[in-house]
Short mmCIF file of all heavy atoms in Angstrom, two decimals:
data_model
loop_
_atom_site.label_atom_id
_atom_site.label_comp_id
_atom_site.label_asym_id
_atom_site.label_seq_id
_atom_site.Cartn_x
_atom_site.Cartn_y
_atom_site.Cartn_z
N ARG L 1113 -42.34 2.16 -22.48
CA ARG L 1113 -41.00 2.45 -22.95
C ARG L 1113 -41.13 2.69 -24.40
O ARG L 1113 -41.64 1.85 -25.16
CB ARG L 1113 -40.04 1.22 -22.61
CG ARG L 1113 -38.63 1.44 -23.10
CD ARG L 1113 -37.69 0.30 -22.54
NE ARG L 1113 -37.73 0.27 -21.09
CZ ARG L 1113 -36.90 0.99 -20.31
NH1 ARG L 1113 -35.90 1.70 -20.83
NH2 ARG L 1113 -37.00 0.91 -19.00
N GLU L 1118 -44.63 -1.61 -21.64
CA GLU L 1118 -43.68 -2.66 -21.35
C GLU L 1118 -44.17 -3.59 -20.25
O GLU L 1118 -43.94 -4.82 -20.34
CB GLU L 1118 -42.34 -2.05 -20.94
CG GLU L 1118 -41.26 -3.13 -20.63
CD GLU L 1118 -39.86 -2.52 -20.49
OE1 GLU L 1118 -39.68 -1.42 -20.07
OE2 GLU L 1118 -38.92 -3.26 -20.87
N SER L 1119 -44.78 -3.05 -19.24
CA SER L 1119 -45.28 -3.87 -18.09
C SER L 1119 -46.54 -3.32 -17.63
O SER L 1119 -46.86 -2.16 -17.79
CB SER L 1119 -44.21 -3.88 -16.97
OG SER L 1119 -42.99 -4.45 -17.40
N VAL L 1120 -47.36 -4.18 -17.01
CA VAL L 1120 -48.69 -3.82 -16.53
C VAL L 1120 -48.89 -4.35 -15.13
O VAL L 1120 -48.35 -5.39 -14.72
CB VAL L 1120 -49.77 -4.36 -17.43
CG1 VAL L 1120 -49.71 -3.74 -18.82
CG2 VAL L 1120 -49.84 -5.88 -17.52
N TYR L 1146 -53.95 -9.78 2.42
CA TYR L 1146 -53.21 -9.24 3.55
C TYR L 1146 -53.20 -7.74 3.49
O TYR L 1146 -52.88 -7.19 2.40
CB TYR L 1146 -51.79 -9.80 3.64
CG TYR L 1146 -51.76 -11.30 4.07
CD1 TYR L 1146 -51.39 -12.28 3.19
CD2 TYR L 1146 -52.11 -11.60 5.37
CE1 TYR L 1146 -51.37 -13.62 3.57
CE2 TYR L 1146 -52.07 -12.95 5.79
CZ TYR L 1146 -51.67 -13.92 4.89
OH TYR L 1146 -51.66 -15.21 5.30
N ARG L 1148 -51.31 -5.79 5.32
CA ARG L 1148 -49.88 -5.33 5.53
C ARG L 1148 -49.82 -4.02 6.25
O ARG L 1148 -50.68 -3.76 7.15
CB ARG L 1148 -49.09 -5.34 4.21
CG ARG L 1148 -49.13 -6.66 3.43
CD ARG L 1148 -48.57 -7.85 4.23
NE ARG L 1148 -47.20 -7.67 4.67
CZ ARG L 1148 -46.12 -8.03 3.98
NH1 ARG L 1148 -46.24 -8.62 2.79
NH2 ARG L 1148 -44.92 -7.77 4.45
N ALA L 1207 -39.88 -6.46 18.93
CA ALA L 1207 -39.88 -7.77 18.32
C ALA L 1207 -39.50 -7.73 16.84
O ALA L 1207 -39.30 -8.76 16.18
CB ALA L 1207 -41.25 -8.45 18.48
N GLY L 1209 -37.12 -7.03 13.56
CA GLY L 1209 -35.70 -7.21 13.30
C GLY L 1209 -35.10 -5.92 12.72
O GLY L 1209 -35.85 -5.00 12.20
N VAL L 1285 -47.80 -13.93 9.31
CA VAL L 1285 -46.74 -13.13 10.00
C VAL L 1285 -46.22 -12.06 9.05
O VAL L 1285 -45.79 -12.36 7.94
CB VAL L 1285 -45.63 -14.04 10.49
CG1 VAL L 1285 -44.61 -13.23 11.27
CG2 VAL L 1285 -46.20 -15.14 11.42
N GLY L 1287 -43.68 -8.77 7.92
CA GLY L 1287 -42.23 -8.66 7.85
C GLY L 1287 -41.57 -8.28 9.13
O GLY L 1287 -40.42 -8.57 9.41
N GLU L 1354 -46.28 -5.30 -0.69
CA GLU L 1354 -47.02 -6.17 -1.66
C GLU L 1354 -48.22 -5.48 -2.35
O GLU L 1354 -49.21 -6.14 -2.62
CB GLU L 1354 -47.44 -7.48 -1.02
CG GLU L 1354 -46.21 -8.39 -0.62
CD GLU L 1354 -45.43 -8.94 -1.84
OE1 GLU L 1354 -46.02 -9.07 -2.91
OE2 GLU L 1354 -44.20 -9.21 -1.64
N LYS L 1371 -55.36 -3.16 -3.90
CA LYS L 1371 -54.34 -4.22 -3.85
C LYS L 1371 -53.89 -4.48 -5.26
O LYS L 1371 -54.72 -4.81 -6.18
CB LYS L 1371 -54.89 -5.48 -3.23
CG LYS L 1371 -54.13 -6.80 -3.50
CD LYS L 1371 -52.77 -6.90 -2.76
CE LYS L 1371 -52.03 -8.21 -3.10
NZ LYS L 1371 -50.73 -8.34 -2.47
N ASP L 1373 -52.22 -6.99 -7.73
CA ASP L 1373 -52.09 -8.47 -7.68
C ASP L 1373 -50.68 -8.95 -7.51
O ASP L 1373 -50.37 -9.94 -6.86
CB ASP L 1373 -52.63 -9.12 -9.01
CG ASP L 1373 -54.07 -8.87 -9.19
OD1 ASP L 1373 -54.77 -8.39 -8.30
OD2 ASP L 1373 -54.57 -9.20 -10.32
N ASP L 1374 -49.73 -8.24 -8.23
CA ASP L 1374 -48.37 -8.72 -8.23
C ASP L 1374 -47.50 -8.18 -7.13
O ASP L 1374 -46.31 -8.51 -6.99
CB ASP L 1374 -47.69 -8.39 -9.62
CG ASP L 1374 -47.68 -6.91 -9.87
OD1 ASP L 1374 -46.96 -6.21 -9.19
OD2 ASP L 1374 -48.45 -6.46 -10.78
N ARG L 1378 -45.05 0.35 -7.05
CA ARG L 1378 -45.23 1.40 -8.12
C ARG L 1378 -46.63 1.35 -8.69
O ARG L 1378 -47.12 2.42 -9.07
CB ARG L 1378 -44.15 1.21 -9.21
CG ARG L 1378 -44.29 -0.01 -10.08
CD ARG L 1378 -43.26 -0.02 -11.24
NE ARG L 1378 -43.47 -1.14 -12.07
CZ ARG L 1378 -42.68 -1.49 -13.09
NH1 ARG L 1378 -41.57 -0.78 -13.35
NH2 ARG L 1378 -42.95 -2.54 -13.83
N ASN L 1407 -33.65 6.86 -17.74
CA ASN L 1407 -32.55 5.92 -17.81
C ASN L 1407 -31.37 6.43 -16.91
O ASN L 1407 -31.55 7.42 -16.26
CB ASN L 1407 -32.15 5.59 -19.24
CG ASN L 1407 -31.49 6.77 -19.94
OD1 ASN L 1407 -31.09 7.76 -19.29
ND2 ASN L 1407 -31.33 6.68 -21.29
N THR L 1408 -30.31 5.67 -16.97
CA THR L 1408 -29.22 6.03 -16.00
C THR L 1408 -28.46 7.35 -16.47
O THR L 1408 -27.68 7.87 -15.75
CB THR L 1408 -28.13 4.91 -15.98
OG1 THR L 1408 -27.72 4.63 -17.32
CG2 THR L 1408 -28.72 3.69 -15.27
N ARG L 1409 -28.84 7.85 -17.66
CA ARG L 1409 -28.31 9.14 -18.07
C ARG L 1409 -29.28 10.27 -17.72
O ARG L 1409 -29.11 11.40 -18.03
CB ARG L 1409 -28.07 9.14 -19.60
CG ARG L 1409 -26.93 8.24 -20.01
CD ARG L 1409 -25.57 8.69 -19.46
NE ARG L 1409 -25.18 9.97 -19.96
CZ ARG L 1409 -24.44 10.14 -21.12
NH1 ARG L 1409 -24.10 9.12 -21.77
NH2 ARG L 1409 -24.13 11.34 -21.51
N ARG Z 578 -48.01 -16.19 1.91
CA ARG Z 578 -47.75 -15.74 3.25
C ARG Z 578 -48.79 -16.53 4.12
O ARG Z 578 -49.98 -16.42 3.85
CB ARG Z 578 -47.92 -14.25 3.41
CG ARG Z 578 -47.72 -13.67 4.82
CD ARG Z 578 -47.75 -12.16 4.88
NE ARG Z 578 -46.72 -11.65 4.02
CZ ARG Z 578 -45.44 -11.38 4.44
NH1 ARG Z 578 -45.09 -11.54 5.70
NH2 ARG Z 578 -44.56 -10.96 3.57
N GLU Z 583 -50.36 -14.49 -1.47
CA GLU Z 583 -50.43 -13.03 -1.30
C GLU Z 583 -50.30 -12.25 -2.60
O GLU Z 583 -51.03 -11.26 -2.82
CB GLU Z 583 -49.32 -12.53 -0.33
CG GLU Z 583 -49.38 -11.08 -0.06
CD GLU Z 583 -48.52 -10.62 1.14
OE1 GLU Z 583 -47.50 -11.24 1.41
OE2 GLU Z 583 -48.97 -9.65 1.77
N SER Z 584 -49.43 -12.67 -3.48
CA SER Z 584 -49.24 -11.97 -4.75
C SER Z 584 -48.92 -13.01 -5.85
O SER Z 584 -48.43 -14.09 -5.57
CB SER Z 584 -48.06 -11.00 -4.63
OG SER Z 584 -48.31 -9.99 -3.69
N VAL Z 585 -49.32 -12.61 -7.06
CA VAL Z 585 -49.07 -13.53 -8.17
C VAL Z 585 -48.39 -12.80 -9.34
O VAL Z 585 -48.56 -11.56 -9.53
CB VAL Z 585 -50.41 -14.12 -8.72
CG1 VAL Z 585 -51.06 -15.00 -7.63
CG2 VAL Z 585 -51.34 -13.02 -9.19
N TYR Z 611 -40.06 -5.91 -25.05
CA TYR Z 611 -38.63 -5.44 -24.97
C TYR Z 611 -37.84 -6.59 -24.39
O TYR Z 611 -38.16 -7.20 -23.35
CB TYR Z 611 -38.52 -4.22 -24.13
CG TYR Z 611 -39.02 -2.95 -24.85
CD1 TYR Z 611 -40.13 -2.32 -24.38
CD2 TYR Z 611 -38.35 -2.48 -25.94
CE1 TYR Z 611 -40.62 -1.21 -25.01
CE2 TYR Z 611 -38.85 -1.30 -26.59
CZ TYR Z 611 -39.97 -0.65 -26.11
OH TYR Z 611 -40.41 0.43 -26.73
N ARG Z 613 -34.74 -6.31 -23.32
CA ARG Z 613 -33.88 -5.70 -22.29
C ARG Z 613 -32.53 -6.45 -22.21
O ARG Z 613 -31.99 -6.80 -23.26
CB ARG Z 613 -34.65 -5.74 -20.92
CG ARG Z 613 -36.01 -4.98 -20.98
CD ARG Z 613 -35.87 -3.50 -21.40
NE ARG Z 613 -35.04 -2.77 -20.52
CZ ARG Z 613 -35.45 -2.06 -19.49
NH1 ARG Z 613 -36.70 -2.06 -19.10
NH2 ARG Z 613 -34.60 -1.36 -18.73
N ALA Z 672 -21.40 5.47 -22.90
CA ALA Z 672 -22.62 6.23 -22.97
C ALA Z 672 -23.60 5.91 -21.80
O ALA Z 672 -24.62 6.61 -21.63
CB ALA Z 672 -23.33 5.95 -24.30
N GLY Z 674 -24.94 5.67 -17.95
CA GLY Z 674 -24.76 6.55 -16.77
C GLY Z 674 -24.27 5.78 -15.57
O GLY Z 674 -24.31 4.58 -15.54
N VAL Z 750 -35.44 3.09 -25.75
CA VAL Z 750 -34.14 3.34 -25.13
C VAL Z 750 -34.04 2.54 -23.87
O VAL Z 750 -34.92 2.64 -22.95
CB VAL Z 750 -33.98 4.85 -24.89
CG1 VAL Z 750 -32.54 5.13 -24.27
CG2 VAL Z 750 -34.07 5.62 -26.17
N GLY Z 752 -32.21 1.26 -20.18
CA GLY Z 752 -31.73 1.96 -19.02
C GLY Z 752 -30.28 2.54 -19.17
O GLY Z 752 -29.93 3.49 -18.52
N GLU Z 819 -37.43 -5.73 -15.98
CA GLU Z 819 -38.89 -5.83 -16.26
C GLU Z 819 -39.32 -7.28 -16.58
O GLU Z 819 -40.22 -7.50 -17.38
CB GLU Z 819 -39.30 -4.89 -17.37
CG GLU Z 819 -39.13 -3.40 -17.00
CD GLU Z 819 -40.07 -2.94 -15.93
OE1 GLU Z 819 -41.17 -3.57 -15.78
OE2 GLU Z 819 -39.73 -1.95 -15.21
N LYS Z 836 -41.33 -13.67 -20.19
CA LYS Z 836 -41.57 -12.31 -19.87
C LYS Z 836 -42.72 -12.32 -18.77
O LYS Z 836 -43.81 -12.88 -18.99
CB LYS Z 836 -42.11 -11.46 -21.04
CG LYS Z 836 -42.78 -10.17 -20.75
CD LYS Z 836 -41.89 -9.07 -20.17
CE LYS Z 836 -42.66 -7.77 -19.89
NZ LYS Z 836 -41.88 -6.67 -19.29
N ASP Z 838 -45.48 -10.31 -16.94
CA ASP Z 838 -46.28 -9.12 -17.36
C ASP Z 838 -45.98 -7.89 -16.55
O ASP Z 838 -45.97 -6.78 -17.07
CB ASP Z 838 -47.79 -9.42 -17.24
CG ASP Z 838 -48.30 -10.53 -18.12
OD1 ASP Z 838 -47.47 -11.01 -18.99
OD2 ASP Z 838 -49.43 -10.92 -17.99
N ASP Z 839 -45.80 -8.11 -15.24
CA ASP Z 839 -45.66 -6.93 -14.35
C ASP Z 839 -44.26 -6.46 -14.20
O ASP Z 839 -44.00 -5.45 -13.50
CB ASP Z 839 -46.34 -7.22 -13.03
CG ASP Z 839 -45.62 -8.45 -12.34
OD1 ASP Z 839 -44.48 -8.32 -11.87
OD2 ASP Z 839 -46.22 -9.48 -12.24
N ARG Z 843 -38.44 -11.32 -9.51
CA ARG Z 843 -38.65 -12.47 -8.67
C ARG Z 843 -39.52 -13.49 -9.43
O ARG Z 843 -39.37 -14.71 -9.21
CB ARG Z 843 -39.23 -12.13 -7.32
CG ARG Z 843 -40.65 -11.61 -7.33
CD ARG Z 843 -41.18 -11.30 -5.89
NE ARG Z 843 -42.57 -10.93 -5.95
CZ ARG Z 843 -43.31 -10.52 -4.90
NH1 ARG Z 843 -42.79 -10.54 -3.70
NH2 ARG Z 843 -44.59 -10.19 -5.05
N ASN Z 872 -39.04 -12.99 7.29
CA ASN Z 872 -39.27 -11.61 7.85
C ASN Z 872 -37.96 -11.00 8.38
O ASN Z 872 -36.89 -11.62 8.20
CB ASN Z 872 -40.43 -11.64 8.88
CG ASN Z 872 -40.06 -12.33 10.19
OD1 ASN Z 872 -38.90 -12.65 10.40
ND2 ASN Z 872 -41.02 -12.55 11.03
N THR Z 873 -38.11 -9.87 8.95
CA THR Z 873 -36.83 -9.16 9.38
C THR Z 873 -36.19 -9.85 10.60
O THR Z 873 -35.09 -9.54 10.95
CB THR Z 873 -37.12 -7.67 9.75
OG1 THR Z 873 -38.20 -7.63 10.76
CG2 THR Z 873 -37.54 -6.89 8.49
N ARG Z 874 -36.89 -10.79 11.19
CA ARG Z 874 -36.29 -11.63 12.25
C ARG Z 874 -35.69 -12.92 11.70
O ARG Z 874 -35.16 -13.69 12.42
CB ARG Z 874 -37.31 -11.97 13.30
CG ARG Z 874 -37.84 -10.80 14.08
CD ARG Z 874 -36.74 -10.16 14.90
NE ARG Z 874 -36.21 -10.96 15.97
CZ ARG Z 874 -36.76 -11.08 17.21
NH1 ARG Z 874 -37.78 -10.33 17.51
NH2 ARG Z 874 -36.26 -11.92 18.10
#
Side-chain angles (χ1 to χ4, degrees):
Chain L
R1113 178 171 301 271
E1118 182 168 31
S1119 297
V1120 296
Y1146 286 110
R1148 306 300 304 270
V1285 180
E1354 294 292 335
K1371 163 70 181 179
D1373 296 352
D1374 60 69
R1378 69 177 183 184
N1407 69 13
T1408 55
R1409 294 296 294 273
Chain Z
R578 179 172 300 270
E583 182 166 31
S584 297
V585 296
Y611 286 112
R613 305 301 301 270
V750 180
E819 293 293 334
K836 163 72 180 177
D838 295 353
D839 60 70
R843 70 177 181 181
N872 70 11
T873 54
R874 293 295 295 273

